Amino acid sequence: MSPNGSDTIIGDIALTSVRKKPEELRSHRWYGVNDLRSFGHRSRTAQMGYHPSDYMGKPVIAVVNTWSEINSCHTHFKQRVEEVKRGIWQAGGFPVEMPVMTLAEPFQKPTTMLYRNFLAMETEELLRSYPFDGCVLMGGCDKTTPGLLMGAISMNLPAIFLPAGPMLRGNWNGRTLGSGSDTWKYWAELRAGKITEDEWKGVESGIARSPGHCMTMGTASTMTSAAEALGLTLPGFASIPAVDSRHAQYASLTGQRIVEMVWTDLKPSDILTSKSFDNAVTTVLAMSGSTNAIVHLVAVARRAGVPLTTARFDELSRVTPVIANIRPAGKYLMEDFFYAGGLRAMLAELGDLIDGTQRTVNGKTLSENISDAEIFDDDVIRRRDNPLVPNDGLAVLTGNLAPNGAVIKPAAMEAHLLKHRGPAVVFKDYADMAARIDDEALDISADSVIVLQHAGPVGAPGMPEWGQLPIPQKLLKQGVRDMVRISDARMSGTSYGACVLHVAPESFVGGPLALVKDGDFIELDVHARRLHLDISDAELSTRQAAWKAPKRPFERGFGVMHQLHVTQADKGCDFDFLEEHVRADSDEPDIH
Ligand code: FES
């Protein structure tokens, strides 16, 4: 967190040059003109108890809130939205809370990923169709961050992101627990008979004990940190724990800042560049962030008109050390990361790997925002000359099994599997795997390669986080804790293991993963970035010709739109008709 005062955090208003006049505000078209429709807008605003002095000539700010009673990570947003509004009022704006679809990772089925694009569409359309001049985006739980950013970037009104903040460390019997990571760990221990049912219940009650998003380096911590590195949050905000009083203070400062961003017309298109996306990718890599960030950042970048590719992740991965010592790749949790100096300190330590000239929402450059940052515990945030892993936080693989790429997280797998050759054990879908994985008669050993088909963007549907395929119970009992596993699914960022993910194109649409049979040998070579199905090209062609497209899963509703328009993992899984960057003033509603 910045040790500076709030003026430094939210930027120096006196430095700003061109300022809008009130009649140039977008909301002026609803409120400021004198005709029949504006009469309706004003009279109905009066109906809500507001006097014209509350809103006339002032920036109207949408506070886009993903709070709901089913989103356990956002329970504090009911209070935070009031603090954001306080800041907006203080700065002379008019706040309007806009509830949007919540994407509650633990509860929404089949997966929140199916609905990320729904949230993006909802955000964009709300901003377009109502009299907003700017917006505060309140998110944090996994897909909420990319969903909100994608929608706001496409609309391109001034926008600032409010990260939910990580929850406190989990605690049980004197031990620290990390979201997800320790769930998988103790679930494996339970299945192996190493802990009792009573102990398992203790883990259940202590692993999530405060508001806030997962406090391991899961998708939430990864994406909120990426949003800050992109320049879309106040500096230091993404690392502050949700229940820390400074989180509330920053919520208010965020409200103050968006009003000034409207007057100076500071939009996402003024902030987001290929270099700012490189900064975000480098941040993800230095944190050994969630593999999900690849899909999300590619989608966010394409909304911004930046052609970010998975190959760019791999290029930057080769030169970026992992210096955030956070689970699952490391030892600590996000609360420790904050006390050690937070993201600002980590970005400062990355030095020339970060382009500090990039603009941010407070009107300053990234360099200016981190110039006074310090590391207070260099075991939590390692120095560059003492990294957790020297490089390869993530790796992008290609080969005849994944012509358009696949992803693996070398920092979170057993090193002896980095180069591996083994016979495939194939499951045709999740139900097949659930039914047979623990069958004592299953012909499988620690050298086998577990393959799951039909778990991608179209087929599963929605590319669920099934990619940490379970290790068979009989192998767990023999002490096996990691195996090579391959799927077109995603994996929770809190997970670990030699899991090859995001295989593209996916098996459901005829990608080569669909053609693997039991006993085929598969070769993984992470250093060579290679994923190879060891059968002849002629045999591969024969199997391809015999492949038949399965029936698509949806017959009605949003799912039909999804299965017709979702792109593959290497393109970010956005809808094909939403990828282009569209400026706000090119598609405005005709309100008169
Ligand atoms: Fe919300 Fe993990 S469940 S961030």
Side-chain angles (χ1 to χ4, degrees):
M1 174 169 180
S2 168
N4 298 322
S6 60
D7 288 348
T8 306
I9 297 164
I10 67 172
D12 187 342
I13 292 169
L15 286 177
T16 55
S17 49
V18 181
R19 295 177 66 78
K20 280 187 176 174
K21 298 186 182 73
E23 57 272 24
E24 292 172 333
L25 292 172
R26 184 171 178 267
S27 58
H28 180 82
R29 285 180 262 164
W30 274 260
Y31 285 127
V33 290
N34 194 15
D35 61 11
L36 183 60
R37 289 208 179 177
S38 59
F39 165 89
H41 305 144
R42 288 191 297 268
S43 66
R44 293 299 175 160
T45 305
Q47 183 185 12
M48 294 186 281
Y50 294 109
H51 185 267
S53 61
D54 285 323
Y55 63 88
M56 286 293 283
K58 296 182 175 182
V60 180
I61 307 297
V63 187
V64 184
N65 193 354
T66 51
W67 176 88
S68 92
E69 285 191 336
I70 194 118
N71 196 327
S72 54
C73 300
H74 295 178
T75 50
H76 57 317
F77 275 6
K78 214 169 183 179
Q79 177 62 32
R80 289 292 174 274
V81 75
E82 298 306 322
E83 287 138 3
V84 171
K85 289 199 245 179
R86 184 177 78 213
I88 293 170
W89 284 119
Q90 285 171 342
F94 179 54
V96 179
E97 183 179 357
M98 296 298 286
V100 289
M101 178 184 245
T102 205
L103 302 175
E105 193 63 31
F107 295 103
Q108 195 167 26
K109 303 293 182 236
T111 163
T112 52
M113 186 62 185
L114 182 64
Y115 297 103
R116 183 200 65 181
N117 297 348
F118 191 117
L119 173 62
M121 290 179 77
E122 186 185 17
T123 302
E124 178 181 348
E125 299 305 329
L126 286 176
L127 294 176
R128 176 175 292 117
S129 55
Y130 286 105
F132 297 127
D133 299 300
C135 61
V136 175
L137 307 166
M138 299 180 64
C141 188
D142 283 23
K143 317 303 180 292
T144 56
T145 302
L148 290 167
L149 294 182
M150 288 161 70
I153 287 168
S154 289
M155 189 51 196
N156 202 32
L157 295 178
I160 188 167
F161 184 71
L162 183 154
M167 67 177 99
L168 297 177
R169 304 178 192 102
N171 183 277
W172 164 68
N173 283 4
R175 289 183 222 180
T176 297
L177 298 176
S179 316
S181 304
D182 280 311
T183 308
W184 324 131
K185 175 180 160 188
Y186 287 107
W187 177 241
E189 296 296 306
L190 181 71
R191 277 161 46 88
K194 300 273 199 263
I195 64 168
T196 65
E197 282 287 347
D198 266 1
E199 288 172 313
W200 175 240
K201 285 202 172 74
V203 173
E204 179 180 302
S205 70
I207 200 165
R209 62 189 180 96
S210 84
H213 61 66
C214 292
M215 70 329 227
T216 39
M217 192 47 66
T219 305
S221 302
T222 307
M223 286 307 299
T224 54
S225 299
E228 182 172 326
L230 281 169
L232 296 174
T233 74
L234 290 182
F237 201 170
S239 309
I240 306 175
V243 294
D244 193 299
S245 60
R246 287 163 286 190
H247 194 275
Q249 294 170 33
Y250 268 58
S252 176
L253 293 173
T254 295
Q256 289 183 35
R257 179 60 198 162
I258 187 61
V259 177
E260 185 61 15
M261 287 173 67
V262 169
W263 288 125
T264 56
D265 202 25
L266 181 57
K267 304 181 295 298
S269 59
D270 301 315
I271 293 169
L272 299 174
T273 67
S274 59
K275 289 190 171 133
S276 64
F277 276 97
D278 275 358
N279 285 343
V281 172
T282 298
T283 298
V284 169
L285 295 167
M287 300 179 113
S288 190
S290 164
T291 45
N292 286 322
I294 300 181
V295 174
H296 297 320
L297 279 177
V298 166
V300 172
R302 289 165 78 95
R303 292 291 186 111
V306 173
L308 180 64
T309 62
T310 54
R312 186 64 180 151
F313 279 81
D314 200 68
E315 284 166 24
L316 292 172
S317 174
R318 291 170 190 265
V319 297
T320 305
V322 177
I323 60 171
N325 190 2
I326 311 290
R327 298 183 204 178
K331 175 177 168 191
Y332 298 99
L333 295 170
M334 287 302 288
E335 190 180 342
D336 307 297
F337 184 71
F338 176 59
Y339 302 147
L343 184 64
R344 292 171 67 252
M346 193 195 84
L347 292 172
E349 181 63 20
L350 288 172
D352 61 356
L353 295 176
I354 292 290
D355 185 327
T357 65
Q358 300 304 299
R359 292 180 84 181
T360 74
V361 283
N362 73 345
K364 299 189 172 195
T365 64
L366 195 54
S367 280
E368 289 172 314
N369 286 339
I370 62 177
S371 61
D372 59 352
E374 285 181 62
I375 293 176
F376 302 113
D377 183 336
D378 63 7
D379 191 36
V380 179
I381 303 174
R382 296 285 188 87
R383 304 287 174 186
R384 268 177 74 175
D385 60 6
N386 181 34
L388 202 62
V389 183
N391 54 11
D392 286 357
L394 297 169
V396 177
L397 312 167
T398 54
N400 67 349
L401 195 48
N404 294 340
V407 171
I408 195 165
K409 196 170 178 180
M413 63 185 278
E414 290 186 5
H416 70 97
L417 295 170
L418 288 167
K419 186 166 185 178
H420 182 81
R421 175 182 160 88
V425 176
V426 182
F427 298 99
K428 65 180 170 33
D429 56 30
Y430 189 84
D432 181 32
M433 182 179 72
R436 296 196 292 126
I437 191 75
D438 286 332
D439 186 339
E440 285 289 325
L442 185 68
D443 184 13
I444 193 165
S445 74
D447 287 335
S448 300
V449 174
I450 305 178
V451 171
L452 174 66
Q453 299 167 330
H454 292 187
V458 180
M463 204 180 176
E465 292 185 338
W466 293 341
Q468 193 193 27
L469 311 180
I471 294 172
Q473 203 157 15
K474 67 179 179 185
L475 296 182
L476 283 173
K477 285 179 179 161
Q478 292 168 21
V480 177
R481 289 294 181 273
D482 201 3
M483 293 174 67
V484 175
R485 293 159 268 177
I486 303 175
S487 74
D488 39 20
R490 295 174 302 112
M491 177 173 88
S492 165
T494 62
S495 304
Y496 48 84
C499 301
V500 178
L501 312 158
H502 306 192
V503 170
E506 66 175 298
S507 53
F508 196 87
V509 300
L513 192 69
L515 312 177
V516 183
K517 293 183 176 174
D518 280 336
D520 288 345
F521 272 84
I522 292 176
E523 294 169 2
L524 167 69
D525 186 340
V526 174
H527 292 305
R529 303 296 199 255
R530 183 166 177 266
L531 184 65
H532 182 70
L533 177 63
D534 194 13
I535 61 174
S536 69
D537 291 346
E539 172 63 14
L540 199 59
S541 298
T542 304
R543 292 187 193 180
Q544 187 79 67
W547 179 80
K548 288 196 175 37
K551 187 171 177 290
R552 299 215 164 194
F554 290 104
E555 293 182 351
R556 68 185 305 274
F558 175 76
V560 173
M561 182 191 293
H562 185 275
Q563 67 196 11
L564 289 176
H565 293 288
V566 71
T567 61
Q568 289 292 298
D570 59 307
K571 300 287 190 299
C573 299
D574 199 358
F575 289 163
D576 49 14
F577 59 90
L578 291 173
E579 286 183 325
E580 292 298 316
H581 179 55
V582 180
R583 292 181 60 84
D585 54 9
S586 67
D587 195 20
E588 288 279 28
D590 178 9
I591 62 168
H592 293 293

Coordinates of all heavy atoms in Angstrom, one line a residue, residues 123-155:
T123 N -22.8 -5.3 -18.8 CA -22.1 -4.0 -18.4 C -22.1 -3.0 -19.6 O -22.4 -1.8 -19.4 CB -20.6 -4.4 -18.0 OG1 -20.7 -5.3 -16.9 CG2 -19.9 -3.2 -17.6
E124 N -21.7 -3.5 -20.7 CA -21.6 -2.6 -21.9 C -23.0 -2.0 -22.2 O -23.1 -0.8 -22.5 CB -21.0 -3.4 -23.1 CG -21.0 -2.6 -24.4 CD -20.4 -3.4 -25.6 OE1 -19.9 -4.5 -25.4 OE2 -20.5 -2.9 -26.7
E125 N -24.0 -2.8 -22.2 CA -25.3 -2.3 -22.6 C -25.9 -1.4 -21.6 O -26.6 -0.4 -22.0 CB -26.3 -3.5 -22.9 CG -25.8 -4.5 -24.0 CD -25.5 -3.8 -25.3 OE1 -26.2 -2.7 -25.6 OE2 -24.6 -4.2 -26.1
L126 N -25.7 -1.6 -20.3 CA -26.1 -0.7 -19.3 C -25.5 0.6 -19.4 O -26.1 1.7 -19.3 CB -25.9 -1.3 -17.9 CG -26.8 -2.4 -17.4 CD1 -26.3 -2.9 -16.0 CD2 -28.2 -1.9 -17.3
L127 N -24.2 0.6 -19.7 CA -23.4 1.9 -19.8 C -23.9 2.6 -21.1 O -24.0 3.8 -21.1 CB -21.9 1.6 -19.9 CG -21.3 1.0 -18.6 CD1 -19.8 0.8 -18.8 CD2 -21.5 2.0 -17.4
R128 N -24.2 1.9 -22.1 CA -24.6 2.5 -23.3 C -26.0 3.1 -23.2 O -26.3 4.2 -23.8 CB -24.6 1.5 -24.5 CG -25.1 2.1 -25.8 CD -25.0 1.1 -27.0 NE -23.6 0.9 -27.3 CZ -22.9 -0.3 -27.2 NH1 -23.6 -1.3 -26.8 NH2 -21.7 -0.3 -27.5
S129 N -26.9 2.4 -22.6 CA -28.4 2.8 -22.7 C -28.8 3.7 -21.6 O -30.0 4.2 -21.7 CB -29.2 1.5 -22.6 OG -28.9 0.7 -21.5
Y130 N -28.0 4.0 -20.6 CA -28.4 4.9 -19.5 C -27.5 6.2 -19.6 O -26.4 6.2 -20.2 CB -28.4 4.3 -18.2 CG -29.5 3.3 -18.0 CD1 -29.3 1.9 -18.0 CD2 -30.8 3.8 -17.7 CE1 -30.3 1.0 -17.8 CE2 -31.8 2.9 -17.5 CZ -31.6 1.5 -17.6 OH -32.7 0.6 -17.4
P131 N -27.9 7.2 -18.8 CA -27.2 8.5 -19.0 C -25.9 8.6 -18.2 O -25.7 9.5 -17.4 CB -28.2 9.5 -18.4 CG -29.0 8.8 -17.4 CD -29.1 7.4 -18.0
F132 N -25.0 7.7 -18.4 CA -23.8 7.7 -17.6 C -22.6 8.4 -18.3 O -22.4 8.3 -19.6 CB -23.3 6.2 -17.3 CG -24.4 5.5 -16.5 CD1 -24.9 4.3 -16.9 CD2 -24.8 6.1 -15.3 CE1 -25.8 3.7 -16.1 CE2 -25.8 5.4 -14.5 CZ -26.3 4.2 -14.9
D133 N -21.8 9.1 -17.5 CA -20.6 9.7 -18.0 C -19.4 8.9 -17.7 O -18.3 9.1 -18.3 CB -20.5 11.1 -17.4 CG -21.7 12.0 -17.7 OD1 -21.9 12.2 -18.9 OD2 -22.4 12.4 -16.8
G134 N -19.4 8.1 -16.7 CA -18.3 7.3 -16.3 C -18.8 6.2 -15.4 O -20.0 6.1 -15.0
C135 N -17.9 5.3 -15.0 CA -18.3 4.1 -14.2 C -17.2 3.7 -13.2 O -16.0 3.8 -13.5 CB -18.7 3.0 -15.0 SG -17.5 2.3 -16.1
V136 N -17.6 3.2 -12.1 CA -16.8 2.4 -11.1 C -17.2 1.0 -11.3 O -18.4 0.6 -11.2 CB -17.0 2.9 -9.7 CG1 -16.2 2.0 -8.7 CG2 -16.6 4.4 -9.5
L137 N -16.3 0.1 -11.5 CA -16.5 -1.3 -11.7 C -16.1 -2.1 -10.4 O -15.0 -2.1 -10.1 CB -15.7 -1.9 -12.9 CG -15.9 -1.1 -14.2 CD1 -14.7 -1.4 -15.2 CD2 -17.2 -1.3 -14.8
M138 N -17.1 -2.7 -9.8 CA -16.9 -3.4 -8.5 C -16.8 -4.9 -8.7 O -17.9 -5.5 -8.9 CB -17.9 -3.0 -7.5 CG -18.0 -1.5 -7.1 SD -19.2 -1.1 -5.9 CE -18.7 -2.0 -4.5
G139 N -15.6 -5.5 -8.7 CA -15.5 -6.9 -8.9 C -14.3 -7.5 -8.2 O -13.6 -6.8 -7.5
G140 N -14.2 -8.8 -8.4 CA -13.0 -9.5 -7.8 C -13.1 -11.0 -7.9 O -12.1 -11.6 -8.3
C141 N -14.3 -11.5 -7.6 CA -14.4 -13.0 -7.6 C -14.2 -13.4 -9.1 O -15.0 -13.0 -10.0 CB -15.8 -13.4 -7.1 SG -15.9 -15.2 -7.0
D142 N -13.2 -14.1 -9.3 CA -12.7 -14.7 -10.6 C -13.2 -14.0 -11.9 O -12.6 -13.0 -12.3 CB -13.1 -16.1 -10.7 CG -12.2 -17.0 -9.8 OD1 -11.5 -16.5 -8.9 OD2 -12.0 -18.2 -10.1
K143 N -14.3 -14.4 -12.5 CA -14.7 -13.9 -13.8 C -15.3 -12.5 -13.8 O -15.5 -11.9 -14.8 CB -15.7 -14.9 -14.5 CG -15.5 -16.3 -14.3 CD -14.1 -16.7 -14.8 CE -13.9 -18.2 -14.7 NZ -13.7 -18.7 -13.3
T144 N -15.6 -12.0 -12.6 CA -16.2 -10.7 -12.5 C -15.2 -9.6 -13.0 O -15.6 -8.7 -13.7 CB -16.7 -10.3 -11.1 OG1 -15.5 -10.4 -10.2 CG2 -17.8 -11.2 -10.6
T145 N -14.0 -9.8 -12.7 CA -13.0 -8.8 -13.2 C -12.9 -8.7 -14.7 O -13.1 -7.6 -15.3 CB -11.6 -9.1 -12.5 OG1 -11.7 -9.0 -11.1 CG2 -10.6 -8.0 -13.0
P146 N -12.6 -9.8 -15.4 CA -12.6 -9.7 -16.8 C -13.9 -9.3 -17.4 O -14.0 -8.6 -18.4 CB -12.1 -11.1 -17.3 CG -12.4 -12.0 -16.2 CD -12.2 -11.2 -14.9
G147 N -15.0 -9.8 -16.9 CA -16.3 -9.5 -17.4 C -16.6 -8.0 -17.4 O -17.0 -7.4 -18.4
L148 N -16.3 -7.4 -16.3 CA -16.6 -6.0 -16.1 C -15.6 -5.2 -17.0 O -16.0 -4.2 -17.7 CB -16.3 -5.5 -14.7 CG -17.4 -6.0 -13.6 CD1 -16.9 -5.8 -12.2 CD2 -18.7 -5.3 -13.8
L149 N -14.4 -5.6 -17.0 CA -13.4 -4.8 -17.9 C -13.7 -4.9 -19.3 O -13.7 -3.9 -20.1 CB -12.0 -5.3 -17.6 CG -11.4 -5.1 -16.2 CD1 -10.0 -5.6 -16.2 CD2 -11.4 -3.6 -15.8
M150 N -14.1 -6.1 -19.8 CA -14.4 -6.3 -21.2 C -15.6 -5.4 -21.6 O -15.5 -4.7 -22.7 CB -14.8 -7.8 -21.5 CG -13.6 -8.7 -21.4 SD -14.0 -10.4 -21.2 CE -14.7 -10.8 -22.8
G151 N -16.6 -5.4 -20.8 CA -17.8 -4.5 -21.2 C -17.4 -3.0 -21.1 O -17.8 -2.3 -22.1
A152 N -16.7 -2.6 -20.1 CA -16.4 -1.2 -20.0 C -15.4 -0.7 -21.0 O -15.5 0.4 -21.6 CB -15.8 -0.9 -18.6
I153 N -14.5 -1.6 -21.4 CA -13.6 -1.2 -22.5 C -14.3 -1.1 -23.8 O -14.0 -0.2 -24.6 CB -12.5 -2.3 -22.6 CG1 -11.5 -2.2 -21.4 CG2 -11.7 -2.2 -23.9 CD1 -10.6 -3.4 -21.2
S154 N -15.2 -2.0 -24.1 CA -16.0 -1.8 -25.3 C -16.8 -0.5 -25.4 O -16.9 0.1 -26.4 CB -16.9 -3.0 -25.6 OG -16.1 -4.2 -25.8
M155 N -17.3 -0.1 -24.2 CA -18.1 1.1 -24.2 C -17.2 2.3 -24.2 O -17.5 3.4 -24.7 CB -19.0 1.1 -22.9 CG -20.0 2.2 -22.9 SD -21.0 2.3 -24.4 CE -21.7 3.9 -24.2

